[in-house]
Amino acid sequence: MLEIKHLSFAVPGDAADKEIIRDISLTVGKGRFVVITGPNGGGKSTLAKLIAGIERPTSGAILLNGVDMTDKSITERAHMGVSYAFQQPVKFKGICVIDLLRIASGKKLSVGDACAYLSEVGLCARDYIHREVNGSLSGGELKRIEIATVLARGTALSVFDEPEAGIDLWSFKSLIEVFERMRSANTDRTIIVISHQERILNIADEIIVLGGGRIMAQGSKDEILPTLLGTASVASACGQLTKGGDK
């Protein structure tokens, strides 16, 4: 279970500090698929980075399964069971896909095991297992390989920051299928996705709307999604809500 208590984050400015996250408190239970949405600049990616440890809060606390990880490093959080997937996956020149999966899993995966993770994300294993993780791969391929590394880690909490960014429509459809399989796996793994894509919101157990650094709305998909699609006050705040991937 993820607990966020009175979390705030500000960056120094010329006249005064600029507050990006403003006194946020929320709880995400085990095995939940939660999507955080809202307008650009509302604090979504900053919140994801605070959870992962990339940024440190100005005040407040972050707990995972009752353990306070507010002051822990990225590495310490990774050991606690936190995974983070970037908007733009990192390229690793000189590292093959199988080696990356082995590093992620923390063990010497067999070729068969590594191929199974690639198959989970819709990649033909024999075409990718020995490919180098570099610029020769498309954005969609890199995205799915990154998700495969998250699956290989098998962590308690996985955070995906706008996974649809920079991928084509075909890759987006495959991404949705991956998330649907992850959601239906019926495990204790908690998944948090930062997104404004309607198809991702539509498979959420819970939706959190973040704007101006504050929680504007929070509830089940059935409660929140209709307001995003049909209520002017909230829908205008989430004006980036779209139905498909980037073309």
Side-chain angles (χ1 to χ4, degrees):
M1 181 171 66
L2 175 70
E3 297 174 88
I4 294 175
K5 299 181 177 181
H6 301 291
L7 197 71
S8 295
F9 175 75
V11 294
D14 293 335
D17 290 351
K18 181 180 180 182
E19 199 169 31
I20 308 298
I21 298 294
R22 304 180 181 188
D23 193 26
I24 286 179
S25 294
L26 61 90
T27 299
V28 179
K30 287 184 178 180
R32 303 287 285 172
F33 188 105
V34 176
V35 179
I36 300 176
T37 193
N40 288 338
K44 304 184 302 296
S45 291
T46 299
L47 180 58
K49 290 174 182 177
L50 288 167
I51 294 170
I54 297 170
E55 299 284 5
R56 295 296 180 92
T58 307
S59 61
I62 306 173
L63 291 80
L64 182 63
N65 296 329
V67 179
D68 191 337
M69 61 179 188
T70 311
D71 296 322
K72 294 188 181 298
S73 67
I74 297 173
T75 301
E76 289 172 322
R77 294 183 198 212
H79 288 313
M80 289 178 64
V82 178
S83 292
Y84 178 85
F86 293 86
Q87 285 187 31
Q88 299 298 328
V90 179
K91 299 172 184 177
F92 298 92
K93 188 175 181 179
I95 296 180
C96 292
V97 171
I98 188 170
D99 295 325
L100 186 62
L101 289 169
R102 285 170 174 166
I103 292 169
S105 70
K107 54 189 177 184
K108 189 171 177 61
L109 290 179
S110 68
V111 171
D113 289 337
C115 287
Y117 288 122
L118 291 175
S119 296
E120 275 286 299
V121 297
L123 293 177
C124 180
R126 67 174 178 269
D127 293 338
Y128 289 92
I129 196 72
H130 296 299
R131 290 275 298 274
E132 192 173 314
V133 188
N134 58 17
S136 68
L137 296 169
S138 71
E141 289 169 331
L142 286 169
K143 189 79 69 174
R144 281 188 276 172
I145 288 169
E146 182 180 47
I147 294 174
T149 65
V150 172
L151 294 174
R153 288 202 66 216
T155 48
L157 173 64
S158 299
V159 181
F160 297 87
D161 188 5
E162 296 196 25
E164 70 273 12
I167 63 174
D168 57 39
L169 185 59
W170 185 87
S171 295
F172 178 74
K173 290 177 180 177
S174 299
L175 178 69
I176 295 297
E177 292 172 358
V178 172
F179 281 141
E180 287 174 336
R181 287 195 293 270
M182 292 175 72
R183 182 181 180 274
S184 63
N186 195 25
T187 68
D188 286 338
R189 298 179 188 174
T190 299
I191 300 169
I192 296 176
V193 181
I194 309 298
S195 180
H196 47 69
Q197 291 289 344
E198 182 183 342
R199 288 187 61 187
I200 294 179
L201 289 161
N202 201 44
I203 61 175
D205 295 313
E206 184 176 352
I207 296 173
I208 297 170
V209 182
L210 196 65
R214 299 183 186 276
I215 295 176
M216 300 171 62
Q218 180 177 1
S220 70
K221 175 193 68 177
D222 292 338
E223 293 171 325
I224 302 299
L225 189 54
T227 70
L228 297 180
L229 298 174
T231 302
S233 60
V234 181
S236 61
C238 300
Q240 300 298 315
L241 188 65
T242 52
K243 293 180 180 293
D246 294 334
K247 300 286 175 69

